[in-house]
Amino acid sequence: MRSNFRSIALAAVLGCASVVPVVAKEQDAAPGVPEASRVPRLVLAISVDQLSADLFAEYRRFFTAGLKRLQEGAVFPSGFQSHAATETCPGHATLLTGVRPARSGIIANYWFDPAIRRADKRIYCSEDERDPRSTSTDPVISARHLKAQTLGDRLKAADRAVRNVAVSAKDRAAIMMGGHAIDQGYWWKDGAFTTLPGRKLAPEAVAANASAARLIAAGAQALPAPFWCEPRERAIHVGKRALGTGRFALDPRDGQGFVASPRGDAAVADLAIALAAGMKLGQGEATDVLSVSFSATDYIGHAFGTEGIEMCIQMAELDRTIGRLLDSLDGRGIDYVVALSADHGGFDLPERLAQQALPAAARVSAGLSPEELTAAVKAKTGIAVAGDLIYSDGPFGDFYVSRSLSPADRDRVLAALVEAVEAHPQVAQAFTAEQLSALPMPSGSPQDWTLAQRARGSFDRERSGDLVVLLKRGVVPIADPSHGAVATHGSPWDYDRRVPILFWRRGFKGMEQPAPVETIDIAPTLAALLRLNVAEGDFDGRCLDIDGSERNSCRPPQ
Ligand code: ZN
């Protein structure tokens, strides 16, 4: 806009003294500087766990609150979590670091270290296994595995006045978005919000726990379904269970039912709102970061699938919850920017997919568990060890061979493992660590990447398996849905890789860009808006110009 030229020039005069990495402060709050040219005082980074691009496309026209407003900003309906390991921890780690899992080191939710002393050899992504109290089932929470800095880490390194706050139902989401230098971090554990080891709960978290405890003790009625959800209501029989008609009535004392429902997201939003108000986020000396990861979409996707009335109600409630969060910042007059995306997409349950024009979807068949593969390898090679010969966290992903073998025996075991895996009719491809190490880091449009390139995006030589196994499109890696999860994500296919990316900032012109972008583009996009100097090559992603006007948000006025 030409009329802003003088104002931009004024901002340049007032702001040009800063040449070191800096978060602009009072200098650009001068009268006459257009709001959209100022450095926002708060970054609100939202992750909706398991919000696939497909779900967003299905429901975007129905949103009336927060998700409607965000669609008035910059909309990238085809964002990519480009890598193969489409799980929560790797996905969250891309959002604010701007680097792929291959570089963040967060290659999965769990990986194995066959050399570690603990019996199960299993490592959780956000634990500190050096702490003797930490186990893979009850980990001591830490960001130490994250080999990259988050936006909050970088801002705090540049200016100690920055506050970096992260809230979620999941520890791994809060940790991977917040990073190493979290001022306040909360997640749900054993029926209440908890925080980092050695820290006390803030009064806002104490109040949030009291409020959640009252609701859980009392139970609650079913949630209303908007009219546009009614066509989704149809019972799908999975074993003895009927799914597709649930409305989230809460039995008294059902803490898990609380958190795995729209009420869990509402509690996370309430705590974020209370912390933002209590800490005066966005009203301090520097730009603050508030990361909020909503987990209920993921819990509901796993428990009910993605295409029933349960997910439809969740979409309606999520829209309202995000609206409340934005309204609370508006109510305090905060100048903020929002970035929303997801850690991965999701896929429906095969029993419903079969009725809905995708009969090729199937549950994984027998033969890929570590026990079955060990038997096959033993039969072929005659090699056995004390303890486990092969470690894995399921029928796909990273597989590790015991470290107590001679190099020659290890090679034979690996060769037999490759042969057994590749003979399985549901395996698309499998790659050895040696093969993936030899590949360059992929570039170019993520929709065109080969499976090997996708696997390379989440391959870390130190942590990844000796073999990475990818299942065919449409194979759901839950063999037995009679209890627990019925549907999931984690595949290298686009239903799990494609996620929406939305940005909103008051004064920016709305736009939609359907071309593929990546979630690693979010951090460089925000860093440019914040005028944060980042060394060349520190990000794997690129800055996206999120202002649809002739202004370019990647080149803000200095
Ligand atoms: Zn997730």
Side-chain angles (χ1 to χ4, degrees):
M1 283 190 218
R2 301 279 174 236
S3 59
N4 287 339
F5 185 76
R6 269 188 62 210
S7 311
I8 292 167
L10 175 66
V13 169
L14 295 171
C16 68
S18 26
V19 288
V20 289
V22 73
V23 182
K25 297 183 182 177
E26 296 77 14
Q27 72 266 30
D28 70 358
V33 178
E35 193 173 27
S37 299
R38 296 178 194 162
V39 171
R41 310 310 303 261
L42 176 68
V43 174
L44 173 61
I46 301 175
S47 166
V48 178
D49 205 307
Q50 206 186 123
L51 181 66
S52 63
D54 298 326
L55 267 186
F56 179 67
E58 185 172 348
Y59 288 110
R60 60 182 293 186
R61 67 190 185 279
F62 298 118
F63 297 135
T64 57
L67 288 167
K68 176 172 192 283
R69 171 150 20 138
L70 297 186
Q71 290 182 72
E72 292 159 7
V75 178
F76 298 90
S78 215
F80 275 79
Q81 291 277 6
S82 316
H83 50 274
T86 51
E87 294 187 342
T88 297
C89 219
H92 277 96
T94 68
L95 296 175
L96 293 180
T97 64
V99 303
R100 305 187 193 293
R103 205 160 155 195
S104 73
I106 306 300
I107 56 148
N109 288 347
Y110 293 90
W111 57 86
F112 290 81
D113 177 358
I116 197 176
R117 197 175 287 217
R118 70 171 57 153
D120 66 0
K121 311 292 183 193
R122 201 161 178 247
I123 309 270
Y124 180 53
C125 61
S126 53
E127 78 163 313
D128 183 354
E129 68 276 15
R130 296 170 309 179
D131 189 315
R133 294 166 302 173
S134 194
T135 65
S136 67
T137 49
D138 189 13
V140 171
I141 300 304
S142 161
R144 71 175 293 264
H145 291 310
L146 180 64
K147 297 178 179 178
Q149 285 184 293
T150 62
L151 188 71
D153 290 334
R154 289 180 182 279
L155 288 170
K156 283 185 73 76
D159 187 337
R160 289 169 56 187
V162 170
R163 276 88 52 84
N164 182 23
V165 175
V167 186
S168 177
K170 296 187 183 179
D171 58 70
R172 55 187 178 272
I175 293 293
M176 294 302 151
M177 291 183 84
H180 303 275
I182 294 178
D183 291 280
Q184 295 279 345
Y186 292 99
W187 53 89
W188 191 260
K189 187 188 181 200
D190 300 335
F193 286 107
T194 188
T195 188
L196 285 158
R199 306 251 191 118
K200 280 174 103 170
L201 296 189
E204 292 84 0
V206 174
N209 284 341
S211 158
R214 278 194 298 275
L215 209 163
I216 293 167
Q221 298 201 328
L223 293 171
F227 72 90
W228 40 270
C229 285
E230 282 162 17
R232 298 281 172 272
E233 184 165 32
R234 189 161 51 81
I236 299 291
H237 296 280
V238 180
K240 288 181 180 162
R241 289 193 284 175
L243 306 170
T245 61
R247 295 185 179 221
F248 304 107
L250 181 68
D251 293 334
R253 294 177 298 285
D254 181 4
Q256 191 52 34
F258 169 81
V259 76
S261 81
R263 296 182 182 97
D265 282 351
V268 165
D270 286 342
L271 178 53
I273 290 167
L275 287 167
M279 297 173 74
K280 293 190 165 26
L281 293 183
Q283 294 170 302
E285 290 178 29
T287 297
D288 299 314
V289 183
L290 174 58
S291 298
V292 183
S293 176
F294 293 113
S295 311
T297 304
D298 183 67
Y299 290 138
I300 290 163
H302 285 300
F304 304 102
T306 59
E307 297 301 322
I309 198 169
E310 299 92 345
M311 186 60 86
C312 189
I313 292 172
Q314 163 61 10
M315 290 292 104
E317 294 290 328
L318 176 72
D319 177 38
R320 254 200 291 277
T321 294
I322 292 174
R324 272 194 312 112
L325 181 55
L326 303 184
D327 290 348
S328 76
L329 298 178
D330 294 337
R332 289 196 297 118
I334 309 295
D335 177 14
Y336 61 97
V337 59
V338 187
L340 179 146
S341 190
D343 54 342
H344 50 76
F347 194 54
D348 200 16
L349 43 102
E351 293 79 1
R352 182 162 41 219
L353 287 163
Q355 295 181 16
Q356 297 188 176
L358 200 64
R363 296 196 175 277
V364 70
S365 56
L368 293 172
S369 71
E371 298 77 22
E372 290 163 306
L373 289 169
T374 295
V377 167
K378 271 186 187 164
K380 173 94 186 168
T381 63
I383 296 171
V385 289
D388 292 330
L389 185 63
I390 293 162
Y391 301 92
S392 85
D393 199 29
F396 72 105
D398 295 274
F399 287 73
Y400 301 76
V401 175
S402 167
R403 291 292 178 269
S404 36
L405 295 170
S406 68
D409 278 356
R410 269 195 81 219
D411 288 349
R412 286 177 60 211
V413 166
L414 186 58
L417 178 61
V418 169
E419 193 181 321
V421 160
E422 287 183 341
H424 194 283
Q426 290 177 321
V427 169
Q429 269 183 290
F431 304 102
T432 63
E434 196 181 350
Q435 288 171 321
L436 293 176
S437 298
L439 284 182
M441 193 60 73
S443 59
S445 183
Q447 71 186 354
D448 301 328
W449 290 8
T450 63
L451 286 184
Q453 288 177 308
R454 298 173 196 196
R456 179 67 185 90
S458 43
F459 175 78
D460 173 304
R461 187 190 294 265
E462 181 193 0
R463 295 179 184 166
S464 291
D466 299 306
L467 188 67
V468 174
V469 177
L470 305 179
L471 300 180
K472 286 185 177 167
R473 188 198 303 271
V475 178
V476 173
I478 300 169
D480 176 11
S482 61
H483 52 84
V486 295
T488 194
H489 51 84
S491 83
W493 303 106
D494 284 0
Y495 46 77
D496 287 341
R497 291 169 84 221
R498 276 181 68 237
V499 293
I501 301 179
L502 313 175
F503 294 93
W504 182 88
R505 170 148 174 70
R506 196 178 299 285
F508 279 14
K509 288 277 181 251
M511 53 167 267
E512 177 140 348
Q513 177 48 260
V517 296
E518 298 186 60
T519 55
I520 52 170
D521 299 336
I522 295 170
T525 300
L526 295 173
L529 266 188
L530 301 176
R531 303 173 206 182
L532 180 71
N533 287 345
V534 175
E536 185 80 31
D538 266 20
F539 292 131
D540 289 336
R542 66 177 179 102
C543 179
L544 305 173
D545 173 10
I546 57 169
D547 188 341
S549 77
E550 65 193 35
R551 286 185 304 257
N552 184 336
S553 69
C554 294
R555 292 196 293 274
Q558 291 299 316

